Amino acid sequence: MIRAVIADDEASARSRLRRQLSSCADLEIVGEAEDGLSAVDQVVSLQPALLFLDVQMPGLNGFEVLRALPPEAPRPLVIFITGFDQHALAAFEADAAAYLLKPVLEERLLRTIDRIRPLLDNPAGHAQEIERVERLAHTQVSPLRHIVAKLRNRFVLLAPANVSFFAISDGLVWAFTPTAKCLVNYQLADLEAGLPPDQFFRASRAALINIGRIAEVKPFGKSTFVLTMDDAAHTEGLVGERRAKLLRQLLPGL
């Protein structure tokens, strides 16, 4: 059986797709997600072989869902579902990714599944398809509206403005807020590229801080500063001379 998850914020669209898929005797719908965060959770917990993924969803869009998956999570084959978006369609065509237009036509749906089905028993083709989808997801980069973080056993969405700073510890990237410390599945460079440069400042190779969450700035030696953040531990960090020049631009008056 092909284990599949449907991720779409419209209940009617999920119901329609489930009904259309009922003719596929070798396919089982094991889960549904109504938003991007739920989609991440379903993929991680259920490990489906196939994911029907709506591109436009609240919280996280379809591409953000794929980028937010933890590295250790097995990647499903993906069939994207989208409204008529010329930019998205051009991207799908360029990467030969499987996609369906809303409203989904059953004939096109079944043809697309027929194209995907042989890949499940073909390791080389399967890996190539996963790589194609990963490449597509990472080329459709948009400003980060939300940060997916893991807090204990669950995924949560963090608004960037609520994060005091991001820091690398033991090879992992963590988000620190005034009340919690959460694991995030982003490289620091990706966070820096996706977050507003006038709000987030690369204080060091291992730290990206939220300017609005600095509690205190203390001069330290020649042309350097120690920053105290507003997280629960009031974490302190040193800003060296080279980066201090940028900090002065962001905080006039230093």
Side-chain angles (χ1 to χ4, degrees):
M1 293 294 289
I2 303 171
R3 291 164 50 82
V5 163
I6 299 173
D8 195 308
D9 63 304
E10 298 177 23
S12 59
R14 296 196 306 273
S15 178
R16 174 188 173 92
L17 195 59
R18 181 182 279 274
R19 186 171 62 254
Q20 291 173 324
L21 291 169
S22 63
S23 62
C24 297
D26 62 343
L27 191 146
E28 178 187 9
I29 306 300
V30 296
E32 294 186 9
E34 61 184 13
D35 56 46
L37 188 61
S38 298
V40 172
D41 185 59
Q42 294 270 301
V43 171
V44 171
S45 61
L46 299 176
Q47 298 186 11
L50 181 61
L51 174 63
F52 294 93
L53 183 60
D54 187 11
V55 174
Q56 294 89 12
M57 288 190 293
L60 301 172
N61 65 36
F63 299 123
E64 290 170 327
V65 166
L66 297 175
R67 293 199 297 270
L69 292 174
E72 68 275 9
R75 267 43 179 178
L77 296 174
V78 177
I79 296 177
F80 292 97
I81 301 173
T82 181
F84 188 78
D85 180 323
Q86 197 61 49
H87 174 71
L89 296 184
F92 296 144
E93 295 289 356
D95 257 313
Y99 73 92
L100 297 166
L101 279 176
K102 287 185 174 182
V104 175
L105 300 178
E106 185 170 350
E107 182 181 354
R108 173 70 188 269
L109 168 64
L110 297 180
R111 284 205 310 268
T112 303
I113 293 174
D114 284 342
R115 179 209 141 182
I116 289 289
R117 191 180 276 115
L119 299 177
L120 296 168
D121 298 319
N122 179 346
H126 186 280
Q128 187 177 39
E129 182 72 12
I130 295 294
E131 182 181 348
R132 178 182 292 119
V133 169
E134 291 278 316
R135 182 171 60 246
L136 174 61
H138 283 83
T139 56
Q140 303 303 306
V141 177
S142 55
L144 290 170
R145 302 168 299 157
H146 305 280
I147 306 296
V148 178
K150 193 168 187 180
L151 183 61
R152 293 183 284 277
N153 302 357
R154 60 196 178 94
F155 291 98
V156 296
L157 279 186
L158 302 177
N162 294 335
V163 178
S164 301
F165 65 97
F166 299 93
I168 299 173
S169 177
D170 298 325
L172 301 173
V173 179
W174 300 84
F176 293 78
T177 74
T179 58
K181 173 186 176 182
C182 309
L183 181 65
V184 298
N185 181 38
Y186 303 85
Q187 298 297 317
L188 216 56
D190 294 334
L191 289 167
E192 184 179 14
L195 293 170
D198 59 343
Q199 183 181 359
F200 283 86
F201 164 66
R202 190 69 176 264
S204 68
R205 291 179 62 187
L208 179 68
I209 68 164
N210 185 341
I211 293 292
R213 293 286 183 178
I214 298 174
E216 186 178 68
V217 181
K218 293 183 291 189
F220 183 80
K222 181 181 179 181
S223 301
T224 60
F225 299 97
V226 172
L227 305 181
T228 302
M229 303 306 297
D230 72 349
D231 61 311
H234 299 294
T235 303
E236 293 187 342
L238 180 67
V239 179
E241 184 174 354
R242 183 171 65 86
R243 298 181 192 270
K245 293 179 181 178
L246 178 56
L247 182 63
R248 288 194 190 92
Q249 294 174 17
L250 295 171
L251 294 175
L254 279 184

